[in-house]
Amino acid sequence: DALYQWNECINGVHTPILGATGPRFLFYKSGTYSLSVTYKGCTYISSCIDVLLTDVIDNEINGVTVYPNPADQMLYINTTYLSEAIIRNLSAQTLFRFKMDIGENVLNISTLKSGLYILEIKKDSKNSSFLKFFKM
């Protein structure tokens, strides 16, 4: 089995983050990070990547609740009205469109790459709400 260690990159030094020893890591602050993976006695250390955290905590907009945020495989949307969900990347390109019923709707987002996305909840041609979510 592989061993994982997440690091914070400070002035070119990969400083291990205490307890961050899984294949996934939920970043708690903006910064520069790397991942060390040890497998069969060999250790690979990734390049340092910049992480910029934005406000993705807000999960309710105009009668619609979206969870979890951040999400992994599925995004759940509870709505009080018939609507359409549109997922866009940060360049505003439409990636997915889903028709939504009243109540809980489940969107499979497993094919999205990790990153920040914009979710538009379109009630009709004149009424839309927007929410950011993060795909792990």
Side-chain angles (χ1 to χ4, degrees):
D1 287 354
L3 301 174
Y4 302 91
Q5 177 61 61
W6 287 91
N7 310 291
E8 187 169 10
C9 299
I10 302 170
N11 297 324
V13 176
H14 301 261
T15 305
I17 300 169
L18 187 63
T21 56
R24 295 179 186 209
F25 178 64
L26 186 59
F27 299 102
Y28 56 92
K29 67 177 185 172
S30 296
T32 305
Y33 299 92
S34 69
L35 173 64
S36 302
V37 179
T38 302
Y39 184 70
K40 293 187 177 182
C42 295
T43 299
Y44 168 78
I45 301 174
S46 72
S47 300
C48 294
I49 59 165
D50 293 324
V51 174
L52 176 63
L53 295 184
T54 62
D55 178 17
V56 294
I57 295 171
D58 189 21
N59 68 341
E60 188 171 338
I61 49 172
N62 301 331
V64 177
T65 304
V66 179
Y67 63 94
N69 193 2
D72 187 19
Q73 301 292 314
M74 302 295 176
L75 190 63
Y76 298 88
I77 301 174
N78 275 312
T79 180
T80 57
Y81 48 84
L82 294 174
S83 56
E84 181 180 29
I86 302 167
I87 295 177
R88 292 189 174 93
N89 61 21
L90 295 181
S91 299
Q93 295 172 308
T94 298
L95 304 175
F96 293 108
R97 287 180 176 271
F98 302 93
K99 294 288 183 192
M100 296 196 305
D101 295 319
I102 295 171
E104 185 173 76
N105 298 268
V106 181
L107 308 185
N108 183 340
I109 59 168
S110 62
T111 59
L112 291 176
K113 294 180 182 178
S114 294
L116 189 62
Y117 292 89
I118 299 166
L119 174 65
E120 177 183 359
I121 304 297
K122 193 171 187 175
K123 187 173 185 178
D124 53 44
S125 62
K126 296 180 183 176
N127 296 299
S128 288
S129 298
F130 298 88
L131 178 106
K132 294 176 284 187
F133 75 92
F134 188 81
K135 163 68 165 80
M136 294 192 298

